[in-house]
Amino acid sequence: MAEPHVAQKSPYAVELAAGEYWWCRCGRSKTQPFCDGSHKSTEFTPVKFKVEKPEKLWLCGCKHTRNQPYCDGTHKTL
């Protein structure tokens, strides 16, 4: 299995409105932490997630979290 590209070694703090979003899993997107379709030449697919109400979330930037798409601190061990 391929390893994702580490987009950054810290989470992305994002304020999101209610709705559906696609988190970049491959690490190649130019619109981090969201998918822009760059994964199409890889074995990765984005992760769809839903936000029920406006809130601030910490989305994984290193792409190695075990709680996709949310940061779990894994970046501290890379």
Side-chain angles (χ1 to χ4, degrees), residues 13 37 44:
F44 295 96

PDB file of all heavy atoms in Angstrom, residues 13 37 44:
ATOM      1  N   ALA A  13      -6.844  23.963  11.113  1.00  0.00           N
ATOM      2  CA  ALA A  13      -7.972  24.472  11.896  1.00  0.00           C
ATOM      3  C   ALA A  13      -8.919  25.150  10.912  1.00  0.00           C
ATOM      4  O   ALA A  13      -8.538  26.125  10.256  1.00  0.00           O
ATOM      5  CB  ALA A  13      -7.494  25.453  12.943  1.00  0.00           C
ATOM      6  N   GLY A  37      -9.217  16.581  -6.437  1.00  0.00           N
ATOM      7  CA  GLY A  37      -9.164  15.589  -7.499  1.00  0.00           C
ATOM      8  C   GLY A  37      -7.766  15.100  -7.832  1.00  0.00           C
ATOM      9  O   GLY A  37      -7.598  14.256  -8.714  1.00  0.00           O
ATOM     10  N   PHE A  44      -5.456   6.351  -3.738  1.00  0.00           N
ATOM     11  CA  PHE A  44      -6.225   6.961  -2.657  1.00  0.00           C
ATOM     12  C   PHE A  44      -7.556   7.502  -3.147  1.00  0.00           C
ATOM     13  O   PHE A  44      -7.699   7.868  -4.316  1.00  0.00           O
ATOM     14  CB  PHE A  44      -5.424   8.107  -2.021  1.00  0.00           C
ATOM     15  CG  PHE A  44      -4.177   7.654  -1.336  1.00  0.00           C
ATOM     16  CD1 PHE A  44      -2.955   7.701  -1.990  1.00  0.00           C
ATOM     17  CD2 PHE A  44      -4.217   7.162  -0.048  1.00  0.00           C
ATOM     18  CE1 PHE A  44      -1.797   7.277  -1.365  1.00  0.00           C
ATOM     19  CE2 PHE A  44      -3.071   6.732   0.587  1.00  0.00           C
ATOM     20  CZ  PHE A  44      -1.856   6.790  -0.075  1.00  0.00           C
TER      21      PHE A  44
END
